[in-house]
Amino acid sequence: MMGGFLYALLLLVAAALLGAAILVVVGSIYFDATNSEVPPGIEQPARLRLIHAIIIGTAVVGKILENLHICSQVQFVRYWRNGRKLGPDAKLFIKDMKFKHVPVRIYQPKDPSAGGRKGIVFFHGGGMFGSINAYERMCRYISKESDSVVVSVEYRLSPEHKYPAHLNDCLAATTHFLQTADDYGVDSARVIVAGDSAGGSLAAVVCQTLVGRQGLAKVCAQILIYPGLQALDFNLLYQQNQAVPILFREKAAFYFLHYLNGDVSLLEELLQGCHVPVDQRLRCKKWISADLIPKEFKARGYKPWVPVSCDEEVYQELKNVFVPEVSPLLAEDAVVQKLPQTCIVTCEYDSIRDDGLLYKKRLEDNGVPVTWYHVINGFHGILSFFDNGWFTFPSGKQGLDNVVRFIQSL
């Protein structure tokens, strides 16, 4: 009798779990279908929708686990996204260690080199969810294809750590590598700083900071892959791609607030521009304005945005957005002129595409050589899907190969 009861109970629990799983799947697909926009020009739209539904479903499961006090939503999403460290590689020495206090993973080609190799300091994307494990495939590929030593940096993440923790870790790791490059078979005059998404922003700031440092070898190039470079104006041409997976305009602002001060209650004010005083808006217009974006990018539609009045309390809470360490697009010309040659990757269907376009113009106006790759049918994060089995996007592979060719040309 008791055995039959336990069997029935187990069946009931299993049915409940199955029902919950089905609800999560159906709800995630419904959310994606009703809240996202996948333009017809994007590569493999159905595949992108599925990826986005999985991301949404993971967040929902994480929230359920948080409400059950099993783990936080952030912890669960990180666990799912980060994956595991891959096994040994026949062509690379791979070692985890620390540069000062910062964990790093070093990828070093096994084949002997006639001289000092190029070195790449890489900052992963996802200021809340990224990790060196999540970027393992990309870093291995770059190291092998470009015959370079890659240092992948495990900087501290939001929301536990806020500005300037991420930046301090990236600066510490980069300066340490510049000082010790020879220990890894790297020519210190051939060190490149690179990153994607949030890591691209950190790479830009690190390069700006180091142009004024004495006693260090100069960074020879920077690679900025769909970087976020300012938080003054989320109404450039962002409206075109504001609901395109996998980075909605609102989510970009949400992640930024977690990085800056953790106060996401100011999300709507940030999106509307309530944090920008008139004098700051006028000062920065020469660097951040829809008027500076080439007209071909307005072909899909652009409605000029009418600025709102500044809220002094909001400005005081968010005033750090006006420092170049947070918004590198606002660096003075005297700094920009000293930056190394640059590779910028942008994607047509990326909510923060315009930041890369504006920085390209700033660099070129200041005489900095720029190699620009625009993934015409790409979305934010597409390079990470260069080799993901069924979830592979050919344009991601092409974009990453363009980055490799840039490295090879140095």
Side-chain angles (χ1 to χ4, degrees):
M1 189 74 174
M2 181 62 69
F5 173 76
L6 289 176
Y7 180 70
L9 182 61
L10 286 173
L11 282 178
L12 183 62
V13 171
L17 291 174
L18 179 61
I22 292 172
L23 284 175
V24 169
V25 170
V26 173
S28 300
I29 294 173
Y30 177 79
F31 180 91
D32 175 77
T34 56
N35 290 275
S36 65
E37 300 171 3
V38 179
I42 212 162
E43 183 177 13
Q44 302 184 54
R47 190 164 296 183
L48 177 59
R49 281 197 179 277
L50 179 57
I51 290 172
H52 190 234
I54 292 172
I55 292 172
I56 297 301
T58 305
V60 171
V61 172
K63 194 64 179 176
I64 292 171
L65 294 176
E66 183 174 273
N67 290 336
L68 293 173
H69 304 289
I70 296 174
C71 67
S72 73
Q73 182 187 44
V74 170
Q75 289 173 329
F76 179 76
V77 173
R78 283 178 185 165
Y79 175 79
W80 175 76
R81 290 196 187 183
N82 292 349
R84 58 181 178 82
K85 183 179 178 181
L86 301 179
D89 192 297
K91 296 183 178 181
L92 296 173
F93 295 112
I94 302 174
K95 184 177 182 180
D96 289 349
M97 57 188 308
K98 286 190 175 183
F99 282 180
K100 299 182 179 177
H101 63 282
V102 184
V104 299
R105 182 169 295 163
I106 301 176
Y107 305 85
Q108 194 169 4
K110 289 182 178 180
D111 290 341
S113 176
R117 282 189 164 94
K118 290 184 282 285
I120 303 166
V121 184
F122 186 85
F123 309 134
H124 63 74
M128 288 179 67
F129 303 113
S131 72
I132 55 179
N133 275 356
Y135 281 76
E136 176 92 346
R137 291 183 187 275
M138 182 183 287
C139 288
R140 288 187 181 204
Y141 186 82
I142 292 172
S143 179
K144 288 185 286 190
E145 295 299 315
S146 68
D147 191 36
S148 303
V149 175
V150 174
V151 176
S152 185
V153 180
E154 190 83 286
Y155 59 85
R156 287 170 289 176
L157 302 177
S158 307
E160 297 93 334
H161 305 282
K162 300 171 181 62
Y163 167 79
H166 308 53
L167 175 59
N168 287 344
D169 288 354
C170 292
L171 272 171
T174 305
T175 55
H176 181 85
F177 188 57
L178 286 167
Q179 292 165 343
T180 62
D182 188 59
D183 295 345
Y184 307 97
V186 170
D187 182 346
S188 61
R190 305 177 76 196
V191 173
I192 303 156
V193 173
D196 82 318
S197 193
S201 174
L202 290 166
V205 176
V206 165
C207 284
Q208 289 181 4
T209 304
L210 292 180
V211 297
R213 291 281 179 94
Q214 301 298 318
L216 274 180
K218 299 297 181 184
V219 172
C220 81
Q222 60 177 341
I223 300 172
L224 313 177
I225 303 170
Y226 27 79
L229 300 169
Q230 57 88 27
L232 274 73
D233 192 344
F234 284 87
N235 296 282
L236 295 164
L237 305 190
Y238 283 30
Q239 55 194 267
Q240 288 180 349
N241 301 314
Q242 63 181 338
V244 176
I246 52 178
L247 183 66
F248 286 8
R249 165 179 169 265
E250 182 177 305
K251 276 297 182 183
F254 176 83
Y255 293 143
F256 171 78
L257 286 172
H258 269 298
Y259 168 61
L260 185 67
N261 60 16
D263 187 0
V264 295
S265 68
L266 299 175
L267 177 62
E268 192 58 35
E269 287 81 358
L270 178 67
L271 290 170
Q272 292 299 319
C274 298
H275 61 302
V276 186
V278 173
D279 60 331
Q280 291 281 15
R281 193 179 303 281
L282 292 174
R283 180 181 76 86
C284 300
K285 190 175 182 180
K286 59 183 176 181
W287 301 322
I288 301 175
S289 169
D291 296 336
L292 301 175
I293 298 171
K295 63 181 181 181
E296 59 263 31
F297 292 99
K298 301 174 183 177
R300 289 195 289 121
Y302 166 61
K303 183 179 180 181
W305 174 71
V306 179
V308 299
S309 58
C310 176
D311 184 314
E312 180 63 25
E313 290 186 11
V314 175
Y315 165 69
Q316 290 298 329
E317 286 292 322
L318 301 180
K319 61 184 178 182
N320 274 339
V321 304
F322 298 99
V323 300
E325 290 81 7
V326 174
S327 297
L329 258 170
L330 301 183
E332 295 295 334
D333 287 346
V335 172
V336 177
Q337 290 165 4
K338 297 177 183 178
L339 290 172
Q341 60 182 306
T342 302
C343 172
I344 295 179
V345 178
T346 54
C347 293
E348 177 62 24
Y349 301 104
D350 180 4
S351 62
I352 59 172
R353 175 200 64 191
D354 305 337
D355 290 16
L357 298 177
L358 291 173
Y359 204 47
K360 172 180 178 290
K361 176 174 171 53
R362 280 222 65 195
L363 291 164
E364 291 174 338
D365 288 350
N366 281 278
V368 177
V370 177
T371 299
W372 173 51
Y373 300 116
H374 186 61
V375 186
I376 192 65
N377 57 353
F379 54 89
H380 189 87
I382 194 170
L383 269 65
S384 293
F385 296 94
F386 80 100
D387 182 23
N388 283 60
W390 190 85
F391 294 108
T392 296
F393 288 78
S395 292
K397 174 71 160 54
Q398 293 168 11
L400 190 57
D401 284 340
N402 283 331
V403 170
V404 168
R405 280 191 284 274
F406 172 77
I407 297 168
Q408 293 170 336
S409 72
L410 298 173

